[in-house]
Amino acid sequence: MFIGHFALGLAAKRVTPQVSLAVLFAAAQLADVLWPILVAIGIEQVRIDPGNTAVTPLDFVSYPYSHSLALLIVWGIVFGWIVAVRSRREVFAVIAGLVVSHWVLDYVTHRPDMPLYPDGPKLGLGLWNSRLGTMAVEVPMYLAGLSIYFSATRPRDGVGRWAFALLAATLLIVYVGNFTGPPPPSVTALWSVSIAGGALFLAWSWWADRHRDAI
Ligand SMILES: [Zn+2]
């Protein structure tokens, strides 16, 4: 899943307006922030395998630290705690919940390659076997997340309006591009682009969200 994770981050702004959208995105996407780093240093493995499912050309050979349920619960507690001590205690549950939500959403979309714990059983409902089914779930989720975010914040200036609108549109374009574009040329290209793209979206969301006020 891709924009479905961002959808939950956007929606969470309603309950924790004091937390930057970048932090909410980082929580919902923590698994996919850690993953390319762990692939780059050789701790986790992925193979380029066009047709692995209808949606992804990737075979997630091993990703127990970024994508097992057990480790995501641990990362959720750690990240929730880090954010809560800098903000308010109540945000702990929201941040931890977002981190763990990544597993639940990926469990729905991936074929059975989502580990419960390292070396444990792998699960997945395989929504990715259907492009139409995947879009039918993710696009409405994303639009719902955006509408909740819009109901929770308003732009303070042009940056808040246009930088945010451009970010929202870019995420959607990248998502559609994933469906239509060629597979990545190499694993190195994959993790490089994933790290750079993740950093870009976090910085961009931090910047745009700073120019919006909670309603
Ligand atoms: Zn993921």
Side-chain angles (χ1 to χ4, degrees), residues 1 25 57 61 63 81 97 104 108 112 124 128 131 135 143 145 181 190 194 198 210 215:
M1 187 162 278
F25 277 174
V61 178
Y63 51 4
W81 180 78
V104 178
V108 173
W128 271 352
R131 289 174 165 228
M135 286 215 190
L143 297 179
L190 172 65
S194 301
R210 274 184 76 219
I215 295 173

mmCIF file of all heavy atoms in Angstrom, residues 1 25 57 61 63 81 97 104 108 112 124 128 131 135 143 145 181 190 194 198 210 215:
data_model
loop_
_atom_site.group_PDB
_atom_site.id
_atom_site.type_symbol
_atom_site.label_atom_id
_atom_site.label_comp_id
_atom_site.label_asym_id
_atom_site.label_seq_id
_atom_site.Cartn_x
_atom_site.Cartn_y
_atom_site.Cartn_z
ATOM 1 N N MET A 1 0.847 -1.200 0.000
ATOM 2 C CA MET A 1 0.000 0.000 0.000
ATOM 3 C C MET A 1 0.878 1.245 0.000
ATOM 4 O O MET A 1 1.987 1.227 0.513
ATOM 5 C CB MET A 1 -0.925 -0.028 1.216
ATOM 6 C CG MET A 1 -1.953 1.078 1.196
ATOM 7 S SD MET A 1 -3.366 0.819 2.290
ATOM 8 C CE MET A 1 -4.422 -0.253 1.362
ATOM 9 N N PHE A 25 2.949 11.369 9.082
ATOM 10 C CA PHE A 25 3.353 10.591 7.900
ATOM 11 C C PHE A 25 4.492 9.635 8.267
ATOM 12 O O PHE A 25 4.496 8.473 7.864
ATOM 13 C CB PHE A 25 3.826 11.518 6.771
ATOM 14 C CG PHE A 25 2.713 12.102 5.924
ATOM 15 C CD1 PHE A 25 3.000 13.059 4.955
ATOM 16 C CD2 PHE A 25 1.397 11.692 6.071
ATOM 17 C CE1 PHE A 25 1.996 13.599 4.148
ATOM 18 C CE2 PHE A 25 0.378 12.224 5.272
ATOM 19 C CZ PHE A 25 0.686 13.185 4.304
ATOM 20 N N PRO A 57 6.207 -4.986 -8.780
ATOM 21 C CA PRO A 57 7.204 -5.845 -9.424
ATOM 22 C C PRO A 57 8.267 -6.302 -8.421
ATOM 23 O O PRO A 57 9.374 -6.655 -8.816
ATOM 24 C CB PRO A 57 7.821 -4.899 -10.462
ATOM 25 C CG PRO A 57 7.753 -3.548 -9.814
ATOM 26 C CD PRO A 57 6.540 -3.551 -8.898
ATOM 27 N N VAL A 61 11.688 -10.524 -0.225
ATOM 28 C CA VAL A 61 12.274 -11.793 0.211
ATOM 29 C C VAL A 61 12.318 -11.865 1.739
ATOM 30 O O VAL A 61 11.925 -12.852 2.352
ATOM 31 C CB VAL A 61 13.694 -11.954 -0.383
ATOM 32 C CG1 VAL A 61 14.342 -13.232 0.098
ATOM 33 C CG2 VAL A 61 13.643 -11.890 -1.909
ATOM 34 N N TYR A 63 11.958 -9.078 5.215
ATOM 35 C CA TYR A 63 11.949 -7.745 5.856
ATOM 36 C C TYR A 63 11.367 -7.807 7.263
ATOM 37 O O TYR A 63 10.432 -7.100 7.594
ATOM 38 C CB TYR A 63 11.291 -6.676 4.990
ATOM 39 C CG TYR A 63 9.906 -6.940 4.393
ATOM 40 C CD1 TYR A 63 9.187 -8.088 4.676
ATOM 41 C CD2 TYR A 63 9.328 -5.982 3.554
ATOM 42 C CE1 TYR A 63 7.928 -8.289 4.123
ATOM 43 C CE2 TYR A 63 8.078 -6.171 2.995
ATOM 44 C CZ TYR A 63 7.390 -7.335 3.289
ATOM 45 O OH TYR A 63 6.146 -7.530 2.740
ATOM 46 N N TRP A 81 6.576 7.060 22.086
ATOM 47 C CA TRP A 81 7.154 7.608 23.315
ATOM 48 C C TRP A 81 7.992 8.857 23.007
ATOM 49 O O TRP A 81 7.886 9.880 23.691
ATOM 50 C CB TRP A 81 8.001 6.524 23.994
ATOM 51 C CG TRP A 81 8.646 6.982 25.259
ATOM 52 C CD1 TRP A 81 8.051 7.117 26.489
ATOM 53 C CD2 TRP A 81 9.991 7.415 25.420
ATOM 54 N NE1 TRP A 81 8.946 7.602 27.395
ATOM 55 C CE2 TRP A 81 10.151 7.788 26.782
ATOM 56 C CE3 TRP A 81 11.093 7.518 24.557
ATOM 57 C CZ2 TRP A 81 11.364 8.262 27.279
ATOM 58 C CZ3 TRP A 81 12.298 7.980 25.063
ATOM 59 C CH2 TRP A 81 12.423 8.349 26.413
ATOM 60 N N GLY A 97 -0.306 3.781 17.180
ATOM 61 C CA GLY A 97 -1.348 3.173 16.343
ATOM 62 C C GLY A 97 -1.047 3.341 14.864
ATOM 63 O O GLY A 97 -1.236 2.407 14.066
ATOM 64 N N VAL A 104 -1.128 -3.617 9.255
ATOM 65 C CA VAL A 104 -2.505 -4.033 8.948
ATOM 66 C C VAL A 104 -2.830 -3.733 7.477
ATOM 67 O O VAL A 104 -3.354 -4.588 6.758
ATOM 68 C CB VAL A 104 -3.498 -3.313 9.890
ATOM 69 C CG1 VAL A 104 -4.935 -3.710 9.545
ATOM 70 C CG2 VAL A 104 -3.178 -3.656 11.351
ATOM 71 N N VAL A 108 -3.332 -6.429 4.215
ATOM 72 C CA VAL A 108 -4.464 -6.485 3.283
ATOM 73 C C VAL A 108 -3.975 -6.511 1.833
ATOM 74 O O VAL A 108 -4.501 -7.265 1.007
ATOM 75 C CB VAL A 108 -5.419 -5.283 3.516
ATOM 76 C CG1 VAL A 108 -6.510 -5.239 2.440
ATOM 77 C CG2 VAL A 108 -6.047 -5.350 4.903
ATOM 78 N N PRO A 112 0.978 -13.268 0.774
ATOM 79 C CA PRO A 112 1.430 -13.662 2.128
ATOM 80 C C PRO A 112 2.946 -13.570 2.315
ATOM 81 O O PRO A 112 3.651 -14.576 2.281
ATOM 82 C CB PRO A 112 0.913 -15.104 2.261
ATOM 83 C CG PRO A 112 -0.177 -15.211 1.263
ATOM 84 C CD PRO A 112 0.212 -14.324 0.121
ATOM 85 N N GLY A 124 -0.898 -12.413 4.369
ATOM 86 C CA GLY A 124 -1.240 -11.355 3.422
ATOM 87 C C GLY A 124 -2.482 -11.749 2.642
ATOM 88 O O GLY A 124 -2.624 -12.904 2.245
ATOM 89 N N TRP A 128 -3.235 -6.830 -3.816
ATOM 90 C CA TRP A 128 -2.371 -6.435 -4.933
ATOM 91 C C TRP A 128 -2.508 -7.343 -6.149
ATOM 92 O O TRP A 128 -1.975 -7.026 -7.207
ATOM 93 C CB TRP A 128 -0.906 -6.399 -4.487
ATOM 94 C CG TRP A 128 -0.481 -5.069 -3.939
ATOM 95 C CD1 TRP A 128 -1.193 -3.905 -3.957
ATOM 96 C CD2 TRP A 128 0.777 -4.773 -3.310
ATOM 97 N NE1 TRP A 128 -0.463 -2.902 -3.371
ATOM 98 C CE2 TRP A 128 0.745 -3.403 -2.969
ATOM 99 C CE3 TRP A 128 1.915 -5.532 -3.011
ATOM 100 C CZ2 TRP A 128 1.827 -2.769 -2.341
ATOM 101 C CZ3 TRP A 128 2.986 -4.902 -2.392
ATOM 102 C CH2 TRP A 128 2.936 -3.535 -2.060
ATOM 103 N N ARG A 131 -5.352 -4.845 -9.686
ATOM 104 C CA ARG A 131 -5.064 -3.409 -9.776
ATOM 105 C C ARG A 131 -6.293 -2.589 -9.459
ATOM 106 O O ARG A 131 -6.233 -1.592 -8.735
ATOM 107 C CB ARG A 131 -4.600 -3.054 -11.186
ATOM 108 C CG ARG A 131 -3.227 -3.565 -11.501
ATOM 109 C CD ARG A 131 -2.901 -3.307 -12.961
ATOM 110 N NE ARG A 131 -1.478 -3.471 -13.158
ATOM 111 C CZ ARG A 131 -0.703 -2.596 -13.804
ATOM 112 N NH1 ARG A 131 -1.219 -1.535 -14.357
ATOM 113 N NH2 ARG A 131 0.585 -2.809 -13.915
ATOM 114 N N MET A 135 -6.821 0.053 -6.327
ATOM 115 C CA MET A 135 -7.187 1.467 -6.501
ATOM 116 C C MET A 135 -8.533 1.763 -5.842
ATOM 117 O O MET A 135 -8.725 2.827 -5.268
ATOM 118 C CB MET A 135 -7.273 1.798 -7.988
ATOM 119 C CG MET A 135 -5.916 1.903 -8.641
ATOM 120 S SD MET A 135 -5.961 3.186 -9.915
ATOM 121 C CE MET A 135 -4.412 2.921 -10.718
ATOM 122 N N LEU A 143 -8.657 10.084 -0.527
ATOM 123 C CA LEU A 143 -9.531 11.257 -0.636
ATOM 124 C C LEU A 143 -10.220 11.529 0.705
ATOM 125 O O LEU A 143 -10.369 12.689 1.109
ATOM 126 C CB LEU A 143 -10.564 11.054 -1.756
ATOM 127 C CG LEU A 143 -9.952 10.912 -3.162
ATOM 128 C CD1 LEU A 143 -11.055 10.687 -4.200
ATOM 129 C CD2 LEU A 143 -9.109 12.136 -3.537
ATOM 130 N N GLY A 145 -8.954 10.785 3.659
ATOM 131 C CA GLY A 145 -7.910 11.340 4.521
ATOM 132 C C GLY A 145 -7.694 12.817 4.235
ATOM 133 O O GLY A 145 -7.594 13.636 5.153
ATOM 134 N N GLY A 181 4.327 2.698 -14.579
ATOM 135 C CA GLY A 181 5.737 2.840 -14.948
ATOM 136 C C GLY A 181 6.445 1.494 -15.046
ATOM 137 O O GLY A 181 5.914 0.464 -14.634
ATOM 138 N N LEU A 190 16.247 1.222 -6.550
ATOM 139 C CA LEU A 190 15.028 1.149 -5.744
ATOM 140 C C LEU A 190 15.226 1.771 -4.367
ATOM 141 O O LEU A 190 14.465 2.630 -3.940
ATOM 142 C CB LEU A 190 14.602 -0.325 -5.620
ATOM 143 C CG LEU A 190 13.460 -0.632 -4.666
ATOM 144 C CD1 LEU A 190 12.164 0.009 -5.128
ATOM 145 C CD2 LEU A 190 13.281 -2.150 -4.519
ATOM 146 N N SER A 194 13.754 5.309 -3.003
ATOM 147 C CA SER A 194 12.858 5.209 -1.849
ATOM 148 C C SER A 194 13.315 6.104 -0.700
ATOM 149 O O SER A 194 12.502 6.769 -0.058
ATOM 150 C CB SER A 194 12.765 3.761 -1.346
ATOM 151 O OG SER A 194 12.290 2.926 -2.371
ATOM 152 N N GLY A 198 11.198 9.360 0.236
ATOM 153 C CA GLY A 198 10.662 9.420 1.604
ATOM 154 C C GLY A 198 11.082 10.707 2.295
ATOM 155 O O GLY A 198 10.263 11.390 2.918
ATOM 156 N N ARG A 210 3.304 23.414 8.313
ATOM 157 C CA ARG A 210 3.659 24.548 9.178
ATOM 158 C C ARG A 210 2.944 25.819 8.769
ATOM 159 O O ARG A 210 2.854 26.759 9.544
ATOM 160 C CB ARG A 210 5.164 24.832 9.064
ATOM 161 C CG ARG A 210 6.015 24.032 9.978
ATOM 162 C CD ARG A 210 7.449 24.470 9.832
ATOM 163 N NE ARG A 210 7.700 25.741 10.499
ATOM 164 C CZ ARG A 210 8.477 26.706 10.018
ATOM 165 N NH1 ARG A 210 9.080 26.558 8.873
ATOM 166 N NH2 ARG A 210 8.659 27.815 10.698
ATOM 167 N N ILE A 215 -7.981 24.090 12.902
ATOM 168 C CA ILE A 215 -9.267 24.777 13.035
ATOM 169 C C ILE A 215 -9.854 24.426 14.405
ATOM 170 O O ILE A 215 -9.980 23.251 14.733
ATOM 171 C CB ILE A 215 -10.246 24.356 11.913
ATOM 172 C CG1 ILE A 215 -9.701 24.823 10.557
ATOM 173 C CG2 ILE A 215 -11.640 24.936 12.175
ATOM 174 C CD1 ILE A 215 -10.496 24.331 9.365
#
